[in-house]
Amino acid sequence: MAPSFTARIQLFLLRALGFLIGLVGRAALVLRGPKFASKTPPPVTEPLLLLSGMQLAKLIRQRKVKCIDVVQAYINRIKDVNPMINGIVKYRFEEAMKEAHAVDQKLAEKQEDEATLENKWPFLGVPLTVKEAFQLQGMPNSSGLMNRRDAISKTDATVVALLKEAGAIPLGITNCSELCMWYESSNKIYGRSNNPYDLQHIVGGSSGGEGCTLAAACSVIGVGSDIGGSIRMPAFFNGIFGHKPSPGVVPNKGQFPMAVGGQELFQCTGPMCRYAEDLAPMLKVMAGPGIKRLKLDTKVHLKDLKFYWMEHDGGSFLMSKVDQDLILAQKKVVVHLETILGASVQHVKLKKMKYSFQLWITMMSAKGHDGKEPLKFVDLLGDHGKHVNPLWELIKWCLGLSVYTIPSIGLALLEEKLKYNNEKYQKFKAVEESLRKELLEMLGDDGVFLYPSHPTVAPKHHVPLTRPFNFAYTGVFNALGLPVTQCPLGLNVKGLPLGIQVVAGPFNDHLTLAVAQYLEKTFGGWVCPGKF
């Protein structure tokens, strides 16, 4: 199933164009990029910022810590650090302080015991940040699209409402890529977000503002969404935890853009956080009634699990080779599982993984149940209003006049060429079904698959333009409909985060979450930026 000569030439030209654009971007970075005295934010000195959401909620319930002190500590950290990372794009400090004061007043009345408080409000007083693509009442909801710069949310997205009902206090909204369709979080409204481990590197996308905000200890729990790795790539690049749930468990309602038709099932809303112990409690809250489809309260005996691993996709010519740092980090995990945990660990070669990008395109080309074509990206750019001519926008961009980012213009130009016709769709749909069957038979209900999060650690700004297909390392699991937890594995010699994806069979999210907690305990989890 090798690509045709013509297809190879087209892809070569596409990568060459991306390389030239990347050079322009790198030049812009040198000439116009923001200058900072340090390449990382200052390390955390306030102890309250080094506690998990669950630990903070417990201390607040026990009245050992005032909620207003916790919120103020995070506000102070944001004021110190956010100008460097540009993760939070709109604050709601005044409202957050009022809500924190109300929590302290409620607790002062001592009308309910600790167990009742935990049952009603598991995240009572815990600071929260939310991806700007989600509705948060009174906050912007543009998804970085200039046409929507005046859009203000009149209500909360379902998951945001559920977290607020559980006691969480939103501090603000976080940056994303334009229309959530690129893996660098930069747009014409809010600008670019920077990696707290090195400000000259990307934060990932599309939930990149959330990733860097959490990593820089400007928040402790956050909300992201994922249709091609938009939770997991930012979690990986920023050294935190992120979970893409099994499809259909967590409601997506209240975000823009909203996947519809054939893509609706593959868009997943999920939790992002610094500490693994917050993942399952967040998922329980965010899923609402959908939590009944999971087995999060089932005790997992890690030694009895069957672990499988694969160090790269098998050699797709579209993707970069996997960094040796990442391969070595993965092998350390494998050796530990074998020798220390005593678990069954097997190296596998799933040959169809090299078609990961093609399988993601197949997913995005799928028609809805009603036979309707998927939404066109170029129509989203115009917000279903004014017609957008991508070629004209490219010319305007070269002159510095376009209101759109170059990744969005490029996608709008290429989407019809990337979209599969019926023959090609059926061809790769068969590959996807075959690979999914192979994985399900392998994993069963007691198997876990370890796979690289990305071919490289967080690249420098604009470099993704030269490597547009690398996201397929995460995107393939959207197409396959499997739950995945992104886990940090420390830092490389340059101080950039390492990590790994932990994959399980459908609705076996409890397995990946249990492995995440074990890996955190074993390899240290999140590492505070600025201490390297």
Side-chain angles (χ1 to χ4, degrees), residues 138-212:
M139 294 282 106
N141 181 223
S142 68
S143 284
L145 186 65
M146 191 65 80
N147 291 352
R148 288 177 57 89
R149 61 187 177 276
D150 298 323
I152 302 297
S153 300
K154 296 179 179 178
T155 186
D156 292 324
T158 303
V159 291
V160 175
L162 289 169
L163 284 164
K164 287 169 73 173
E165 288 169 13
I169 297 177
L171 300 177
I173 52 172
T174 55
N175 205 13
C176 58
S177 54
E178 190 171 39
L179 285 174
C180 302
M181 284 299 286
W182 186 238
Y183 73 95
E184 175 157 18
S185 291
S186 179
N187 56 71
K188 294 288 187 174
I189 298 178
Y190 304 118
R192 186 188 74 206
S193 296
N194 302 311
N195 194 304
Y197 293 91
D198 187 331
L199 300 172
Q200 299 302 315
H201 289 248
I202 73 168
V203 298
S206 60
S207 310
E210 197 60 50
C212 69

Side-chain angles (χ1 to χ4, degrees), residues 420-447:
Y420 287 162
N421 59 29
N422 186 60
E423 181 183 354
K424 210 166 186 180
Y425 173 83
Q426 295 299 334
K427 172 183 175 181
F428 283 110
K429 184 64 179 174
V431 175
E432 178 254 297
E433 290 173 353
S434 175
L435 177 58
R436 178 177 164 83
K437 181 182 178 183
E438 189 176 2
L439 271 164
L440 295 189
E441 290 176 353
M442 180 181 85
L443 293 171
D445 287 324
D446 61 352

Side-chain angles (χ1 to χ4, degrees), residues 27 73 161 247 253 259 269 278 281 330 368 401 440 451 460 470 481 484-485 531:
K253 186 179 178 182
T269 297
D278 290 333
Q330 185 184 37
L401 299 175
L440 295 189
Y451 193 69
K460 288 191 174 182
N470 280 352
V484 189
T485 306
K531 284 193 172 182

